[in-house]
Amino acid sequence: MDWFGTGDYDIAREVLQRGIAVIFVVAFASALAQFPALLGDNGLLPVRGFVARVPFRRTPSLFHWRYSDRLLRLVAWSGIALAAAVVMGLPQLGPAWWGMIVFLLLFAGYLSIVNVGQTFYSFGWESLLVEAGFVVAFLGSNSVATPVPILIFLRWLLFRLEFGAGLIKLRGGREWRDLTALFYHHETQPMPNPVSWFVHHLPRWFHRGEVLANHAVQIIAPFLIFAPQPVASVAAGVIVLSQLWLVLTGNFAWLNWITIVLAASAVDDPAFRWVGGLFMPALRAPQAGASAAAAGEQPPWFVVVVLAVTLGLLVLSYWPARNLLRRRQLMNASFNPFHLVNAYGAFGTVTKDRLEVVVEGSDSADPRDPTAWRAYEFRGKPGDVARLPGQFAPYHLRLDWLMWFLALGSRESRWFEVFLARLLQGDRATLRMLAHNPFAAGPPRYVRARVFLYRFSTPAERRSEHVWWVRTEVGTLVPPVRLPAETETRATD
């Protein structure tokens, strides 16, 4: 069975299983904190209405059977507990089916959330986590050798993720081809972080180099992860370094971290020990018995299951492979309701200007009084020009990301109308998602939404005015609105 199992990727298996489990902890924690306010019984887009309109066969989910905020919290807490067990290495100590069942439960639980999450769960990294969680379920435990077919498929997942992102840039906006994309990206990305301002002000030759390096990593390195060792490990290391740069300069939820974890599928144990030996020389020595499972017979049932799953995933690979060859390449697309073997890609075009929607409230009886309007502050998206952008990734601030798309003219804005109504009602769950509520004593009489053009301050403006942003009003998205009198009375009562 040398063709099936290997003892040269035991460390990779540990990194893959525990790394994906850590991201599941973050994802379920995010659902626990945000899902009820966004999609719960009193949410902005309630799940009950969605499952009444969309059949189970299109969006398989536990919540088609029944939804309640209590059940959602049960699923989230269960997911956190199961994922934490994997992080501690508990299922890996037993037979192969232990870890398989745990990861399949994580897959089913998070798929149930994603499939009813509507626009708040429409991000590519949601499908990526669902797919990765399913595939790593079949890596086995310490009692069996690491299955080569699953390692290869994980490399195929990494290939689709990186090469797909590279192609969509070359086929997308001209700024990627003339090497000017990073003149704008650090400033206009959905959620800048504390480093973004400083990187944005680096010389333009540096930003051109960033684009060239990005093309090299995403177009060339994905092919090299299938090469013999040590080339595959080096290619994976290059991908990891590029992702760490993105971690340093932006907030992209867990996208960069899960890419780093998936890169472990191309790194063999000698390469891991070499890197570890740079910090702790004792780690360079091979660990006795680390690959003992590879020398023995693999359970026949495990071989059959792994090969059957691999065959099924290969069949599903036809659609994303064809998508890579299409001139009109789809970005972040799922071809089946289980989000398995998806198409990935991001930032085919880079916005040149940053528009921000600023939501304000007024407790004055006259909405024309300009002195009464006070702004709500979001946790991650820019608002107060004197506030340094924060670091939130790998945590995902879903409301803040949707506000970025809203400013770009997203057609899916029904949730925003409900959001404004919740502010007028003083809804506590909604207000907890914000960084600052200027109406702690009671809800405002009116709310409005204005659109501003934001740009990073120059170093000179930063020194003289102590601001990170400079903004100019460009229009009104929603004029002053208030609740109907009878609704306002009920909300007050």
Side-chain angles (χ1 to χ4, degrees):
M1 301 296 292
D2 291 344
W3 59 271
F4 176 83
T6 176
D8 294 331
Y9 288 85
D10 291 344
I11 299 175
R13 174 166 61 185
E14 288 293 330
V15 172
L16 287 161
Q17 290 178 325
R18 297 188 192 217
I20 297 299
V22 167
I23 296 169
F24 267 125
V25 170
V26 175
F28 280 113
S30 171
L32 188 66
Q34 301 178 49
F35 196 100
L38 297 175
L39 298 142
D41 287 329
N42 194 43
L44 308 186
L45 295 176
V47 168
R48 293 180 189 271
F50 176 78
V51 297
R53 299 189 308 272
V54 182
F56 176 87
R57 67 178 183 276
R58 286 180 51 193
T59 56
S61 169
L62 166 68
F63 301 116
H64 274 278
W65 165 66
R66 176 180 174 229
Y67 178 82
S68 69
D69 291 346
R70 179 177 297 180
L71 179 60
L72 179 279
R73 292 188 177 97
L74 176 62
V75 170
W77 277 117
S78 299
I80 291 171
L82 289 172
V86 177
V87 175
M88 292 185 289
L90 300 182
Q92 297 93 309
L93 298 176
W97 59 266
W98 281 17
M100 193 178 298
I101 288 178
V102 168
F103 270 109
L104 289 178
L105 286 173
L106 290 170
F107 160 78
Y110 202 64
L111 178 70
S112 290
I113 291 174
V114 170
N115 273 348
V116 298
Q118 303 167 74
T119 188
F120 292 106
Y121 278 79
S122 61
F123 301 90
W125 49 77
E126 309 288 4
S127 296
L128 179 59
L129 179 57
V130 170
E131 180 178 351
F134 179 85
V135 178
V136 299
F138 303 96
L139 280 174
S141 65
N142 299 343
S143 65
V144 297
T146 304
V148 173
I150 299 301
L151 284 175
I152 293 175
F153 193 86
L154 286 167
R155 294 188 197 184
W156 167 231
L157 171 53
L158 179 63
F159 179 92
R160 282 181 281 122
L161 179 60
E162 284 290 281
F163 189 62
L167 281 183
I168 211 159
K169 291 178 176 66
L170 293 179
R171 291 166 171 164
R174 181 180 176 182
E175 62 273 11
W176 287 109
R177 295 187 294 277
D178 64 17
L179 308 184
T180 62
L182 276 299
F183 291 2
Y184 316 98
H185 169 75
H186 297 294
E187 180 179 66
T188 64
Q189 63 180 302
M191 200 179 303
N193 75 353
V195 179
S196 303
W197 184 92
F198 300 94
V199 177
H200 174 72
H201 289 297
L202 291 174
R204 290 202 162 190
W205 62 261
F206 181 88
H207 293 312
R208 291 184 186 274
E210 282 186 285
V211 179
L212 281 173
N214 179 86
H215 290 331
V217 171
Q218 294 192 322
I219 298 299
I220 299 174
F223 288 94
L224 298 180
I225 62 175
F226 296 102
Q229 296 295 355
V231 175
S233 292
V234 172
V238 170
I239 291 173
V240 168
L241 289 176
S242 71
Q243 293 298 315
L244 288 175
W245 176 248
L246 296 175
V247 168
L248 179 67
T249 59
N251 278 300
F252 297 101
W254 54 77
L255 174 62
N256 309 123
W257 288 110
I258 196 171
T259 305
I260 290 171
V261 171
L262 291 172
S265 63
V267 182
D268 64 1
D269 288 357
F272 269 117
R273 284 193 290 268
W274 183 85
V275 173
L278 297 176
F279 306 96
M280 296 179 61
L283 294 177
R284 290 185 179 178
Q287 302 298 309
S291 59
E297 286 292 325
Q298 306 304 310
W301 72 266
F302 181 65
V303 176
V304 171
V305 168
V306 167
L307 293 180
V309 167
T310 303
L311 179 61
L313 293 174
L314 287 175
V315 171
L316 294 176
S317 294
Y318 167 77
W319 288 273
R322 184 179 66 171
N323 180 64
L324 288 174
L325 301 176
R326 292 178 56 184
R327 187 171 183 179
R328 295 186 177 182
Q329 176 189 354
L330 298 177
M331 182 175 68
N332 295 327
S334 296
F335 302 97
N336 58 78
F338 299 100
H339 295 261
L340 296 177
V341 200
N342 310 292
Y344 301 104
F347 294 104
T349 59
V350 173
T351 53
K352 309 300 189 300
D353 298 310
R354 180 178 200 94
L355 295 176
E356 287 288 346
V357 175
V358 175
V359 180
E360 300 168 312
S362 171
D363 52 12
S364 171
D366 183 3
R368 294 169 296 182
D369 179 2
T371 64
W373 290 98
R374 287 172 282 172
Y376 291 88
E377 285 293 323
F378 290 74
R379 294 186 183 275
K381 90 175 202 68
D384 181 357
V385 296
R387 189 179 68 168
L388 174 69
Q391 180 64 49
F392 301 96
Y395 191 76
H396 186 191
L397 294 172
R398 302 176 189 282
L399 179 62
D400 296 62
W401 271 78
L402 264 290
M403 290 295 294
W404 183 75
F405 284 108
L406 181 70
L408 293 179
S410 172
R411 296 180 181 179
E412 297 185 24
S413 60
R414 184 167 58 91
W415 63 269
F416 186 65
E417 299 170 13
V418 182
F419 173 71
L420 295 180
R422 294 290 183 267
L423 295 182
L424 289 168
Q425 295 165 351
D427 181 66
R428 292 182 180 180
T430 302
L431 292 171
R432 279 196 295 268
M433 292 190 293
L434 303 178
H436 174 63
N437 170 24
F439 300 95
R445 293 188 179 188
Y446 294 91
V447 293
R448 69 181 182 184
R450 294 190 291 166
V451 181
F452 288 80
L453 177 66
Y454 273 63
R455 64 168 175 83
F456 274 139
S457 61
T458 64
E461 290 168 330
R462 171 69 194 142
R463 288 190 297 269
S464 63
E465 302 175 34
H466 307 289
V467 295
W468 298 100
W469 299 96
V470 175
R471 72 182 193 180
T472 306
E473 185 175 1
V474 296
T476 299
L477 180 65
V478 179
V481 293
R482 64 181 299 176
L483 292 174
E486 64 275 12
T487 305
E488 189 173 86
T489 302
R490 287 198 300 269
T492 304
D493 294 341

